[in-house]
Amino acid sequence: MTSSDSPDNAAETPATPAARTGVAAMDWAAASADPQYRAAVVDLLGALAYGELAAFERLAEDAKLAPTMADKAELAKMASAEFHHFERLRDRLAEIGEEPTQAMEPFVAAYDGFHKQTAPSDWLEGLVKAYVGDSIASDFYREVAARLDSDTRALVLAVLDDTGHGGFAVEKVRAAIDADPRVGGRLALWARRLMGEALSQSQRVVADRDALSTMLVGGVADGFDLAEVGRMFSRITEAHTKRMAALGLAA
C-alpha cells in the first residue's frame, strides 16, 4: 500500500486505549479459537494480499507511462515493495493453514472491477490513483487493525507502510499543476471519481463477506458499533480531503 503515515496524508489513527481488551489483547493462538474471528482474519488477509498483488501489477504498468528513466526506476522500486508485502501476507496465510489463492479469490472481482473502472489515461492520473485510491484502502485497514489480535495487527500495519509513492506523487502532480494550472481541474475531478469508486467497492466487499461485516459492526473482537462505523468513514473522508490539499487539488 502507498499511504503515508504523516498527519497530512493518513487518516487519524483511533485513540489507543491505555490497555487493550478482548481479542485486541490476545495473540493469534488465543484469538483464532473463535471460528468466526478466524474467518474474518482470513478474509482480511486475503483482501490485503490480492490488493498488494494488484498494486504491484498496476505500478509496473504505470511505469510504462513514466516520462523519464528516473521516474520508471522509482515506480519499479515501489512495485517491488508492494510485491514484498504480498509475499508476507501470502506466507502468513500459508502459516496459519490457509490456501492463499483461495483466500484471495473472493476479492478478485472487486479489485479488478475497480481497476477496470478507473484505468488512468495518462501518467498523472496514474499517480493520483495510486496516492488517493490506495490511501483510502490503507486508512480503512488501519482502522480495522486496531481491533485485531496482536500478531495480525502487527502484520497488517507492517504491510501498510509507505512505499514512498505518496511523496513522489505529490511532488510530480504539484509540478505539473505549476507548469499548467488547467491540469488541476482535470485531476481534481479524477480524484473525486476515485473516492466514490473506492468507497463503493469497499462497501460491496464488506456486504458480501459475513465475517468481515460482523467484525465491523460488532460481534467479533472489539468490533465497531454502527455509530463508530460512521465516525470511521468520516475520518477516512477527512484524510482524503487532506491528501487532495497536499496534491494542490480541490476536494
Side-chain angles (χ1 to χ4, degrees):
M1 295 292 172
T2 57
S3 72
S4 169
D5 290 331
S6 69
D8 289 338
N9 295 317
E12 190 175 312
T13 303
T16 303
R20 296 186 185 275
T21 60
V23 170
M26 301 178 186
D27 61 12
W28 170 251
S32 61
D34 180 342
Q36 193 173 32
Y37 176 76
R38 180 186 177 91
V41 169
V42 171
D43 271 355
L44 184 67
L45 297 183
L48 271 170
Y50 191 70
E52 295 290 348
L53 184 59
F56 160 73
E57 292 177 324
R58 192 188 67 250
L59 284 170
E61 283 296 311
D62 288 350
K64 298 177 183 178
L65 300 173
T68 70
M69 189 67 70
D71 291 334
K72 288 181 186 291
E74 189 67 24
L75 286 189
K77 182 176 71 173
M78 295 172 191
S80 176
E82 300 287 12
F83 191 76
H84 178 61
H85 291 165
F86 161 73
E87 289 180 313
R88 292 189 64 178
L89 291 158
R90 178 201 61 193
D91 293 348
R92 178 58 176 169
L93 283 163
E95 182 183 340
I96 64 175
E98 300 292 334
E99 214 303 307
T101 301
Q102 291 179 6
M104 290 187 287
E105 185 61 36
F107 308 99
V108 171
Y111 273 105
D112 288 357
F114 171 74
H115 290 307
K116 183 178 180 180
Q117 292 294 324
T118 59
S121 62
D122 61 21
W123 159 251
L124 291 173
E125 286 189 1
L127 288 178
V128 171
K129 178 179 176 179
Y131 183 57
V132 172
D134 287 359
S135 294
I136 293 168
S138 292
D139 289 345
F140 172 78
Y141 289 126
R142 286 180 189 278
E143 295 275 357
V144 175
R147 274 74 182 176
L148 299 174
D149 67 271
S150 58
D151 297 318
T152 305
R153 181 170 63 249
L155 173 62
V156 169
L157 293 178
V159 300
L160 295 179
D161 277 350
D162 183 19
T163 62
H165 206 145
F168 181 74
V170 168
E171 176 187 350
K172 297 296 181 179
V173 170
R174 278 191 168 274
I177 294 172
D178 287 343
D180 182 2
R182 293 173 299 177
V183 169
R186 173 172 67 86
L187 293 180
L189 288 173
W190 172 245
R192 286 195 286 273
R193 178 184 168 193
L194 291 170
M195 176 69 168
E197 289 285 349
L199 290 178
S200 178
Q201 288 287 1
S202 298
Q203 289 166 355
R204 280 197 287 270
V205 167
V206 171
D208 288 344
R209 307 299 295 177
D210 290 343
L212 275 181
S213 60
T214 301
M215 176 182 280
L216 280 175
V217 300
V220 174
D222 294 335
F224 299 101
D225 57 25
L226 289 174
E228 178 57 22
V229 170
R231 290 190 290 271
M232 176 188 73
F233 280 106
S234 293
R235 288 192 292 269
I236 291 173
T237 301
E238 181 182 354
H240 169 71
T241 301
K242 290 180 179 179
R243 289 192 188 94
M244 292 285 280
L247 288 169
L249 302 176

